[in-house]
Amino acid sequence: MKIAVAGGTGVVGRRAVDAVQAAGNEAVVLSRSQGVDLITGKGLDAALAGVDAVIDTANVSTLKADAAIKFFTTASGKLVRAAADAGARHVVLLSIVGIDRMPHDYYAGKVAQEKVYEDSPVPWTILRATQFHEFAAQLFARGKVGPLHLAPRARVQPIAAREVGAHLADLAAGDPQERTRDLAGPREEALDAMIKAYARAEGHRGWIPSINLPTAQMKGMRAGYALPGPGAALGRQTFAEWLTAH
């Protein structure tokens, strides 16, 4: 099979590419570095020529709802239309657990993106996954005020990006499922504890206070809205195991 991966150089996208190739299939990376721009559509038709399936892991760095909605609806809209024109039989979207319970900020964009796929002319599958283990590293880097790092409190059930990538590759090679069951890590974790553990592993010895961020998204995560339901598929690698390996 020939499977295209939008965002194929990102945290999950590159793992999906690896998994597609490990299964003996051909992977096509859709990224600006490969001459493909999902917003303008430049290079998209040529890159999708002859593809059987498309995996969408493309992302944007914003916390603003309007910016997220504009990016995801534009990029995914162009992607599914180009996939239809190319004769692809399956499009697969990576989404996030709990976005309909917290449809604010960045998550509003993901809700809008799911609607694009639900209206897709190509048969589709949507996989919602929980936060990745790398989330702790991202928040450690972002949560800096002067010399001080902050650790937001939240309830999460993180999963290895490698396992998400492998799951996406399996889904793309199979039949469309529409909304498939959620994917989560093996156990619940406290986000602030994850950030502090990551910081210690990186050699940071300063005080990192735990805080309650007032955003709607973080309020929802503290309430457990980002946790999977009882029917979710669970990964294997714990955050502690990931931290040791990295």
Side-chain angles (χ1 to χ4, degrees):
M1 292 183 65
K2 188 175 183 179
I3 300 175
V5 182
T9 59
V11 173
V12 174
R14 65 178 184 268
R15 271 80 172 196
V17 169
D18 290 344
V20 167
Q21 294 172 334
N25 294 314
E26 179 183 354
V28 178
V29 176
L30 307 180
S31 68
R32 287 184 177 177
S33 64
Q34 299 297 317
V36 178
D37 190 319
L38 295 180
I39 296 299
T40 65
K42 179 183 177 182
L44 188 55
D45 289 338
L48 292 183
V51 299
D52 299 289
V54 177
I55 299 171
D56 188 354
T57 69
N59 201 9
V60 63
S61 297
T62 182
L63 296 178
K64 296 182 179 179
D66 289 346
I69 291 170
K70 182 177 180 180
F71 173 83
F72 285 121
T73 55
T74 301
S76 293
K78 289 184 182 297
L79 184 59
V80 298
R81 286 192 295 272
D85 291 342
R89 63 166 187 81
H90 190 187
V91 289
V92 179
L93 171 65
L94 174 62
S95 192
I96 306 171
V97 169
I99 56 171
D100 48 350
R101 297 190 290 266
M102 300 177 288
H104 309 285
D105 306 326
Y106 170 84
Y107 282 4
K110 296 299 289 184
V111 171
Q113 185 186 34
E114 287 193 358
K115 184 66 168 59
V116 171
Y117 274 81
E118 289 166 356
D119 294 336
S120 167
V122 183
W124 53 273
T125 298
I126 294 175
L127 170 69
R128 289 184 178 181
T130 53
Q131 285 70 31
F132 315 132
H133 294 321
E134 287 85 353
F135 192 45
Q138 293 168 357
L139 290 187
F140 175 72
R142 293 174 188 167
K144 189 176 182 183
V145 179
L148 191 66
H149 288 267
L150 307 176
R153 293 188 182 94
R155 297 174 63 192
V156 293
Q157 194 162 326
I159 185 166
R162 174 181 53 79
E163 294 180 337
V164 179
H167 200 76
L168 288 167
D170 287 344
L171 288 172
D175 295 328
Q177 299 181 30
E178 298 192 348
R179 174 73 187 279
T180 191
R181 64 175 179 157
D182 295 345
L183 180 64
R187 69 187 189 196
E188 183 179 334
E189 307 275 0
L191 180 58
D192 58 329
M194 288 171 58
I195 294 169
K196 293 175 184 181
Y198 173 81
R200 288 193 297 271
E202 287 291 298
H204 182 83
R205 295 294 177 262
W207 177 51
I208 303 178
S210 298
I211 62 169
N212 290 337
L213 289 180
T215 65
Q217 180 181 335
M218 294 307 295
K219 286 180 179 178
M221 292 181 73
R222 287 196 297 277
Y225 295 159
L227 298 177
L234 301 182
R236 293 180 176 275
Q237 187 183 51
T238 66
F239 176 72
E241 290 169 343
W242 174 86
L243 198 58
T244 298
H246 287 72

